[in-house]
Amino acid sequence: MSRTTRRTAFAATAVALALTAAACSSSGDGGSSDPSASSSGSGSSAFQPQHKGGTLRLVAKSAAGTFDPQVNYTLQYWQLYQSMYDGLLAFKKVGGQASFTVVPDLAEAMPKVSNGGKTYTFTLRKGIKFSDGKALTSDDVVASFQRIFKVSSPTAGTFYNGIVGADACIKKPAGCILDKGVVGDASAGTVTINLTAPDPEFAYKLAVPHASIVPKDSPEKDAGTKPLPTTGPYMAASYDPNRQLKLVRNPHFKEWSRDGQPQGYPDVIEYSFGQTVESEVTAVQNGEADWMYDPPPSDRLNEIGTKYASQAHVNPLTAFWYLTLNVNMAPFDNKLARQAINWAVDRDAVVRLYGGKNLASPACTVLPPGFPGHVDSCAYTKGGGKTWSAPDLAKARELVKQSGTAGQSVGIVVSDDEVNKSIGQYLQSLLNEIGYKATLKPLSGNIQFTYIQNTKNKVQLALTSWYQDYPAASDFLNVLLSCASFHPGSDSSINISGFCDEGIDARMQDALKTGQTDQKKADQEWAAIDQDIMTESPVVPLINPKIVDFTSKRVGNYQFSKQFYMLVGQLWVK
Amino acid sequence: MLYFAVRRLVSALLVMFAISVLVFLIFFATPGVDPAARIAGRNADQVTLAQVRHSFGLDRPLPVRYLLMMRHLLVDRDLESFVNRGSRVIPQIVQAVPVTLSLVVGAAVLWMAVGILMGTAAAALRGTAADPVIMLVGVIGVSLPAYWLGEVVNLITQKQLHDTVFSWVPPPGYVGLGRDPAQWALHMLFPWLTLSLLYAGIYARLLRGEVVTAMNEDYVRTARAKGLSERRILIRHALRCSLIPIVSLFGLDFGALVGGAALLTEVVFGLPGVGKLTYDALQNLDLPVIMGTVLYAAFFVVLANALVDVLYARLDPRARHA
Amino acid sequence: MTAPVTSRARRSPGPWRTAAADLLRNRSAVAAAAVLLVVVALSLCAPLYADHIAHTDPFQSHVSGTTVVDGRTVPVLTPSTTGLGLGVTPIGPTWDTGHYFLGADNQGRDVMARLLYGGRTSLLIGFSAALLTCALGTFVGVVAGYLGGAVDAVVSRVLDVIWAFPVYLLAICLSVVLLTNGLRLGPVTVEAGSLWLPVVIIAAIYVPYVARPLRGQVLVLRNKEFIQAAVGSGAPTSRILRREVLPNVLPTAIVFVPLMTALAMLTESALSFLSVGVQPPDASWGTIVQDGLGLLYTRPAVTIAPGLLIALTTAALNVLGDGVRDALDPSARLRGGV
């Protein structure tokens, strides 16, 4: 699961590609010390009709592509889908830590799991209608699961490949039936899903938008700019990716579960595209817009943090920015050379380039603080310690010398927006300092991510980031650093370092298995794996970023879900 | 004349064809540009990636891909963006044209008026101190980087003096002429001024040169001999003849600008015109949109060139063989 | 749009000297030349300034660096501490040439030192690209105009394509490809990120601007008696081109050099603004403007100073160019405006 939210800076290009979910969990992380005004309401407070109504105006530099919930894989729209589309299950739609909890949504209750964890049985709620007025039945559910494969959903082969019959559907999407995998019983109102093997993360996978239930007569291809009917409180009235997306109330929506799908407050949500980030800030300041999607440009942060502090909400994300070191190419096929980089990088400098210590914290492990499996530990900090304190340049130089790689040339590939490019320039300067000849290649944000994955492009060092899809350690370690994620010659090879260690791979499989029965023990295993990977040093964790939501003065009831970020439908404009 | 026009048309089509092939080849020569992985989504399974590649026809030979794309663009007119799937290219361009036209027509009126005034005044005041001063102003206008000027204008009107002198300046963006003409003009004002400042100097300098040359021509001497006033000679005779090269240059510039050459101005002022569309498409490496906008732009440049050529051919038969 | 220089004017030994005298009498042109000389001299002094006055390496990041202002040690990049404490602001102008005269950029580098180094790059790129364009354009224009027929037809269509391809689009398209791959033309290899890439790109896109008017001149020239006489005397084509045609179009080509340099510098800065020109850590005025845009609201000097320098230099080049034109070939016209 993954995602990179590439939020962009003015003039610098780059569109936010990515996605997902958020945040950091749990106690003890930077969240609590955060000065932010973010109020995460807890629990499901009752609907307050006096705040109902009005038009919420959102702005973003650009649209996020197709509006099909089973295809779109961007944070920008996943955030909106929360108050539009529903799956059988959902992440609880509240602020705070509780947003990592999975609750029943279109299903009446959590599924009955049988057959050793391989069979899930759901009973559908009665009386739910799509926004086109048709009733939702088990046929729609079956068709929606088929549709995941028919539209080649990005996660078809990674999230839903465990459903019985999925292999055939991935290979031949057109005739996908899943007749043994997803079985509906219209008269009983039940749906049964059979897996080929138990999957402790399956409930999470059913709660993300790709598993949304859409009408059975939806087109069997990406719906693109023609939004599909919804089940939630809002439906799309129009969508033009160059201008505006307009959401209005779904006339057939009746609140069935405040946790799963609460009633929304604004009557209309207008999402405009195409302004520069600078003017987005100005628009929110002047009350011409209520919220901006893009991160504010660096020269406006100070102003937002002081003059508009009451309108800014800062929340830590369960994500990390990191460097990938290509372990199959000189000089980073040498472990000492890789470790040298981990010793050398001044995380404080990177934090500064990102916007200061209230916007990011130094990272030393793959798993972000507050994430399942995270344990404070830092193998590469001057003077030792559990968290990062300072770089050790002398040690780095020494290791470079020992490795015999001094004087070699290193190409750094970054995307060309302001923040990434400035971190790239710092790295270039740093690598030259410790004995390499570094060149910097800033690429358009849109191609950098696929470019660095393909081994044919011979990328030695790249700057990238990973944002969680759902709260499970495997979402970082297994996805980013397992042998199965390394596909030489392909543009989709998320193990960018090309790191493949059979011993560690086997332990990750074990930890996954342990997770089926004992999540706590599994998380301890993941923590050990994280530390052992850091010893091998295929990646250099840099920072764990935070997000700033900047809202207009009139907006109330700001709530931050760690899973899907700000709850758009819950904002008050009255 | 007809033969010349037909020949010109054929060569224009040839040029457009060459440009489209060039764009296509450059695009696919760029490493990392294969849109399949971007469309398929992050960490997509290898089989899913292959499916996506197949469904977009990206696994077919280049010439076939080229023909398919051109068919969708020109024949079926349903070519869709790679990035915003389902969003058609032609309606996007059609929607952007009025914005670009608003910008370019308004700026053109301004710069032609100012340019002609400055050029004529400088020529008429030749020998006095005013001439070099006017020309210097023109030169400075020509020498400013367009995007920089736009950024500085934004800085001043949106921040530095926004609380005092420029509190009436609306935030950057575009308001349709049909929706609110007053707001439309207000939003376009600074983009117009910025763009026309860059062009007025060119025309002033060109016109001054032409007028100065014309004032030494035989027909002007004849007019003088007839005892006509200097002012009358300047405006009725010299200026009139000097406008021909100006008009032909204007044709070329106008064509290029309508085609999206005002890209930097549109980007800086957040105007969703053709230039901005092109810029965004380039940033996203969205080939269908790039192809659409480049061909659209080339069409206007080629058209303007052809018109100017035909005009010249009418005036000067020798040019037909050139 | 251009008229030929008459053969009389070219034959006599004096035209170059006359032109030089004309130019020296042109006060604006002399003033412009003086401004240019100062800019060039300052740029050449960049290493002197960086090493001996400011004692800084303008290509090295000083993200965690400190400096001393009024006896107090302050960080070069200061994180905000008030309110929510968001954002980091580089040090502003100290107006002290010893350190951070114009302040720092977001990497903590001395903007003044970078401006001087940037001037070297911008001038080098502008001038090299202009020379290359004029040389290529003259060659193409003369050969196509004189030979005519199939050669002319092919060359003219190629020029049409470049001409009709919007300048920035062509430049951006080429840059994206070249920046990732570098350029390999036979034995010549230009590395991705090399300064010569923008030179080659800019030179290529402006060739028609020079080639078209020169071709027009040659077309007229071809029918002149002195050329016909040379052809009649059996002189080889290459000799006629070199001895008869080229000297007649050379003044126009020379007129284009300063004007083209101005245009090339503006284009370079625009390309750098679009992140496809000069690549870090090299600095040009365009890249400094681009770096500064991220600081526009807090440190506008980083953007404004290089922009003013670009404007000053191109204005001087344009005035000088006009002077050269008036002296050499008053009818020469360069299509400007981008």
Side-chain angles (χ1 to χ4, degrees):
Chain A
M1 336 251 202
S2 78
R3 238 50 207 299
T4 291
T5 313
R6 190 173 301 104
R7 297 174 135 214
T8 302
F10 182 67
T13 113
V15 160
L17 290 177
L19 335 152
T20 268
C24 165
S25 39
S26 123
S27 51
D29 63 292
S32 48
S33 64
D34 196 52
S36 106
S38 96
S39 53
S40 338
S42 54
S44 350
S45 53
F47 188 77
Q48 292 168 266
Q50 71 272 25
H51 291 295
K52 189 170 176 248
T55 299
L56 180 69
R57 298 150 311 170
L58 316 177
V59 286
K61 195 166 161 251
S62 48
T66 169
F67 207 71
D68 193 321
Q70 297 196 294
V71 179
N72 191 293
Y73 201 5
T74 68
L75 162 69
Q76 195 175 349
Y77 287 169
W78 277 28
Q79 185 176 32
L80 293 181
Y81 293 156
Q82 295 316 299
S83 43
M84 299 182 71
Y85 295 99
D86 294 281
L88 294 169
L89 305 177
F91 283 95
K92 197 169 172 181
K93 291 177 180 101
V94 293
Q97 189 63 24
S99 56
F100 275 156
T101 321
V102 175
V103 296
D105 191 0
L106 295 177
E108 255 175 23
M110 292 304 284
K112 232 176 38 234
V113 184
S114 54
N115 190 18
K118 292 199 286 191
T119 299
Y120 286 64
T121 309
F122 298 88
T123 307
L124 295 181
R125 287 180 205 271
K126 291 182 185 64
I128 293 179
K129 283 183 176 172
F130 285 106
S131 53
D132 61 1
K134 289 186 193 146
L136 181 144
T137 68
S138 59
D139 290 348
D140 297 307
V141 178
V142 174
S144 295
F145 278 93
Q146 292 168 354
R147 194 170 178 276
I148 292 176
F149 299 94
K150 288 177 177 166
V151 298
S152 293
S153 175
T155 53
T158 46
F159 283 13
Y160 308 107
N161 52 344
I163 299 175
V164 174
D167 317 4
C169 284
I170 293 169
K171 283 196 197 89
K172 270 196 97 177
C176 179
I177 42 174
L178 292 172
D179 53 347
K180 302 241 163 53
V182 182
V183 186
D185 181 338
S187 55
T190 60
V191 175
T192 308
I193 299 178
N194 295 306
L195 302 181
T196 51
D199 178 358
E201 292 161 16
F202 194 62
Y204 291 142
K205 296 171 182 173
L206 291 179
V208 298
H210 289 162
S212 296
I213 306 305
V214 293
K216 57 178 178 286
D217 52 2
S218 300
E220 295 188 353
K221 62 179 185 80
D222 182 358
T225 49
K226 294 195 190 72
L228 299 173
T230 64
T231 42
Y234 296 99
M235 62 179 195
S238 63
Y239 178 41
D240 173 350
N242 290 303
R243 302 275 160 119
Q244 198 188 51
L245 165 71
K246 187 172 181 184
L247 307 184
V248 296
R249 283 193 188 277
N250 167 7
H252 300 282
F253 174 78
K254 274 196 218 87
E255 188 176 282
W256 60 75
S257 153
R258 254 195 102 58
D259 283 349
Q261 189 53 282
Q263 177 62 288
Y265 286 101
D267 283 340
V268 177
I269 299 175
E270 283 176 4
Y271 207 144
S272 312
F273 310 113
Q275 294 200 50
T276 61
V277 187
E278 292 281 353
S279 10
E280 287 178 33
V281 177
T282 311
V284 176
Q285 285 173 350
N286 298 343
E288 285 145 0
D290 293 311
W291 173 80
M292 59 185 286
Y293 167 72
D294 305 279
S298 50
D299 58 341
R300 304 297 284 274
L301 284 172
N302 186 32
E303 185 186 4
I304 290 172
T306 50
K307 206 165 149 194
Y308 299 94
S310 63
Q311 290 160 245
H313 316 269
V314 184
N315 288 284
L317 303 177
T318 33
F320 80 140
W321 287 44
Y322 65 109
L323 304 178
T324 60
L325 307 174
N326 189 338
V327 301
N328 300 311
M329 258 184 90
F332 300 125
D333 53 353
N334 186 316
K335 185 170 154 184
L336 299 179
R338 298 198 297 268
Q339 290 176 332
I341 308 297
N342 248 319
W343 281 110
V345 176
D346 180 355
R347 269 73 166 178
D348 267 346
V350 180
V351 163
R352 229 170 254 217
L353 292 172
Y354 190 82
K357 64 181 190 321
N358 290 326
L359 270 182
S361 2
C364 220
T365 53
V366 176
L367 295 171
F371 204 69
H374 172 87
V375 170
D376 279 346
S377 83
C378 196
Y380 306 98
T381 180
K382 196 171 191 170
K386 288 224 168 289
T387 55
W388 187 89
S389 54
D392 191 337
L393 274 182
K395 183 138 194 171
R397 282 201 197 94
E398 178 59 35
L399 283 169
V400 171
K401 214 170 283 162
Q402 260 181 46
S403 70
T405 58
Q408 295 193 14
S409 52
V410 177
I412 304 169
V413 183
V414 300
S415 70
D416 67 356
D417 60 286
E418 190 193 334
V419 174
N420 279 282
K421 205 161 109 182
S422 68
I423 297 176
Q425 295 194 40
Y426 159 71
L427 291 169
Q428 181 182 27
S429 173
L430 177 75
L431 259 62
N432 286 332
E433 228 176 306
I434 60 171
Y436 292 111
K437 279 193 222 107
T439 51
L440 182 63
K441 261 193 199 183
L443 295 186
S444 161
N446 233 303
I447 59 171
Q448 192 253 3
F449 188 69
T450 47
Y451 184 87
I452 60 177
Q453 292 184 58
N454 199 323
T455 49
K456 284 185 204 145
N457 297 324
K458 301 197 175 17
V459 174
Q460 291 160 294
L461 192 157
L463 169 61
T464 186
S465 58
W466 191 251
Y467 289 64
Q468 68 142 76
D469 285 319
Y470 50 73
S474 69
D475 187 23
F476 281 78
L477 295 169
N478 192 35
V479 168
L480 297 179
L481 294 157
S482 67
C483 300
S485 301
F486 180 46
H487 305 280
S490 167
D491 278 350
S492 183
S493 171
I494 198 66
N495 184 341
I496 301 165
S497 305
F499 176 78
C500 176
D501 181 308
E502 279 170 27
I504 288 179
D505 232 44
R507 283 167 60 199
M508 291 202 277
Q509 290 311 314
D510 285 347
L512 280 173
K513 210 164 270 163
T514 313
Q516 291 164 18
T517 50
D518 185 349
Q519 193 56 48
K520 210 166 183 166
K521 182 150 174 264
D523 286 345
Q524 285 167 359
E525 288 176 31
W526 286 115
I529 292 170
D530 188 349
Q531 287 165 23
D532 292 347
I533 286 178
M534 283 314 297
T535 311
E536 288 298 315
S537 190
V539 294
V540 181
L542 299 176
I543 52 166
N544 300 114
K546 295 175 191 179
I547 186 175
V548 188
D549 278 311
F550 183 37
T551 55
S552 70
K553 204 171 269 166
R554 66 174 188 154
V555 166
N557 200 30
Y558 176 92
Q559 293 179 74
F560 187 81
S561 151
K562 291 183 175 285
Q563 179 63 28
F564 293 120
Y565 300 2
M566 182 182 82
L567 297 177
V568 174
Q570 295 303 304
L571 294 181
W572 296 337
V573 291
K574 285 204 177 239
Chain B
M1 191 66 212
L2 182 68
Y3 169 70
F4 174 75
V6 169
R7 223 183 56 174
R8 205 64 194 73
L9 183 73
V10 171
S11 95
L13 287 177
L14 205 66
V15 166
M16 305 257 304
F17 170 72
I19 287 176
S20 67
V21 172
L22 200 63
V23 170
F24 196 81
L25 290 180
I26 292 180
F27 183 83
F28 282 105
T30 309
V33 84
D34 176 3
R38 283 186 282 147
I39 295 170
R42 309 194 147 229
N43 192 20
D45 183 72
Q46 301 305 309
V47 188
T48 308
L49 185 61
Q51 291 295 345
V52 169
R53 187 169 283 132
H54 179 72
S55 73
F56 275 77
L58 292 165
D59 52 352
R60 307 175 81 164
L62 270 184
V64 178
R65 265 189 266 169
Y66 173 79
L67 290 176
L68 274 179
M69 174 167 285
M70 296 321 271
R71 196 187 79 190
H72 281 300
L73 180 63
L74 301 172
V75 182
D76 302 341
R77 305 165 62 79
D78 64 350
L79 186 65
E80 290 184 358
S81 149
F82 280 165
V83 175
N84 291 309
R85 268 195 282 176
S87 168
R88 292 191 176 177
V89 174
I90 293 177
Q92 289 190 52
I93 296 177
V94 169
Q95 214 181 21
V97 169
V99 183
T100 300
L101 276 180
S102 301
L103 173 67
V104 174
V105 172
V109 169
L110 264 176
W111 94 58
M112 284 306 267
V114 174
I116 290 175
L117 203 70
M118 278 170 63
T120 319
L125 298 170
R126 200 168 171 229
T128 71
D131 174 20
V133 170
I134 295 176
M135 282 302 101
L136 189 63
V137 171
V139 165
I140 291 173
V142 178
S143 308
L144 294 169
Y147 64 92
W148 178 82
L149 182 61
E151 292 290 358
V152 173
V153 166
N154 270 340
L155 176 69
I156 293 171
T157 58
Q158 298 293 333
K159 189 203 171 204
Q160 304 295 40
L161 299 178
H162 189 68
D163 296 332
T164 52
V165 191
F166 290 114
S167 54
W168 49 272
V169 179
Y174 179 75
V175 173
L177 175 61
R179 226 174 75 193
D180 185 344
Q183 278 299 316
W184 170 80
L186 205 57
H187 277 83
M188 297 305 295
L189 182 63
F190 281 99
W192 282 338
L193 290 174
T194 306
L195 190 58
S196 52
L197 180 60
L198 302 171
Y199 279 87
I202 297 174
Y203 285 80
R205 294 198 308 153
L206 179 59
L207 185 63
R208 176 186 170 276
E210 294 293 332
V211 172
V212 167
T213 315
M215 292 299 271
N216 296 324
E217 296 283 340
D218 290 345
Y219 64 89
V220 171
R221 277 189 221 137
T222 315
R224 270 203 195 107
K226 281 199 263 177
L228 296 181
S229 75
E230 276 296 312
R231 168 178 297 202
R232 202 177 154 85
I233 292 171
L234 181 71
I235 293 170
R236 276 297 176 80
H237 297 272
L239 183 58
R240 218 197 224 171
C241 297
S242 309
L243 283 178
I244 294 172
I246 299 273
V247 169
S248 65
L249 179 62
F250 179 76
L252 298 181
D253 281 341
F254 192 78
L257 285 174
V258 171
L263 176 141
L264 294 172
T265 312
E266 289 183 9
V267 170
V268 169
F269 287 105
L271 300 172
V274 181
K276 175 88 164 32
L277 186 65
T278 316
Y279 172 81
D280 289 343
L282 279 166
Q283 296 295 351
N284 290 332
L285 292 173
D286 189 356
L287 177 63
V289 183
I290 297 176
M291 185 64 92
T293 52
V294 168
L295 283 185
Y296 163 88
F299 172 77
F300 278 98
V301 176
V302 168
L303 181 74
N305 268 298
L307 285 179
V308 168
D309 280 1
V310 171
L311 195 76
Y312 260 86
R314 274 203 85 102
L315 298 174
D316 180 359
R318 279 177 309 174
R320 278 178 220 172
H321 308 291
Chain C
M1 279 211 266
T2 51
V5 179
T6 64
S7 72
R8 183 188 44 74
R10 285 282 331 113
R11 296 277 114 186
S12 60
W16 293 106
R17 201 168 293 167
T18 322
D22 280 355
L23 190 59
L24 282 177
R25 269 199 304 277
N26 184 333
R27 270 179 303 170
S28 330
V30 172
V35 169
L36 277 179
L37 274 180
V38 172
V39 172
V40 171
L42 282 176
S43 299
L44 289 178
C45 291
L48 269 180
Y49 178 84
D51 294 345
H52 298 290
I53 301 178
H55 305 288
T56 178
D57 178 353
F59 301 106
Q60 165 93 45
S61 302
H62 305 283
V63 181
S64 303
T66 55
T67 189
V68 179
V69 178
D70 298 332
R72 278 184 309 134
T73 302
V74 293
V76 177
L77 301 181
T78 315
S80 163
T81 48
T82 48
L84 298 182
L86 307 181
V88 172
T89 311
I91 192 167
T94 58
W95 308 121
D96 168 1
T97 50
H99 61 150
Y100 298 110
F101 181 71
L102 283 175
D105 65 7
N106 66 1
Q107 296 281 315
R109 298 173 299 204
D110 188 313
V111 173
M112 185 66 201
R114 282 180 71 75
L115 273 183
L116 296 180
Y117 273 102
R120 287 156 63 113
T121 313
S122 289
L123 289 165
L124 179 73
I125 291 179
F127 193 63
S128 314
L131 277 187
L132 196 56
T133 305
C134 290
L136 272 176
T138 309
F139 176 77
V140 168
V142 166
V143 169
Y146 187 80
L147 295 183
V151 176
D152 185 34
V154 171
V155 168
S156 296
R157 290 299 81 77
V158 172
L159 291 182
D160 279 350
V161 171
I162 303 180
W163 182 272
F165 207 114
V167 171
Y168 285 133
L169 296 195
L170 185 59
I172 293 173
C173 288
L174 285 176
S175 306
V176 171
V177 179
L178 298 181
L179 285 180
T180 36
N181 265 0
L183 177 67
R184 258 163 228 99
L185 275 181
V188 186
T189 308
V190 182
E191 285 287 315
S194 152
L195 279 187
W196 295 104
L197 269 186
V199 171
V200 172
I201 291 166
I202 296 168
I205 56 182
Y206 287 122
V207 164
Y209 283 52
V210 176
R212 283 192 152 199
L214 289 187
R215 173 179 164 276
Q217 279 196 10
V218 174
L219 281 181
V220 180
L221 217 55
R222 198 169 58 173
N223 298 321
K224 294 274 172 182
E225 286 138 23
F226 71 96
I227 302 264
Q228 295 299 340
V231 175
S233 75
T237 305
S238 62
R239 189 185 145 99
I240 298 176
L241 285 180
R242 217 171 49 239
R243 300 287 295 270
E244 308 293 341
V245 180
L246 191 60
N248 273 286
V249 297
L250 206 53
T252 314
I254 289 174
V255 166
F256 284 155
V257 171
L259 300 173
M260 209 64 224
T261 308
L263 199 54
M265 284 184 62
L266 283 179
T267 310
E268 182 275 315
S269 74
L271 289 184
S272 296
F273 168 72
L274 297 170
S275 321
V276 290
V278 175
Q279 295 303 312
D282 278 327
S284 76
W285 287 337
T287 57
I288 301 173
V289 170
Q290 218 258 345
D291 290 344
L293 287 178
L295 302 168
L296 194 61
Y297 273 65
T298 43
R299 295 286 176 235
V302 185
T303 302
I304 290 174
L308 287 179
L309 282 171
I310 296 174
L312 177 75
T313 312
T314 39
L317 280 165
N318 276 320
V319 172
L320 180 66
D322 285 353
V324 173
R325 183 188 58 208
D326 292 346
L328 271 179
D329 178 8
S331 57
R333 295 268 178 274
L334 181 65
R335 185 186 166 203
V338 280

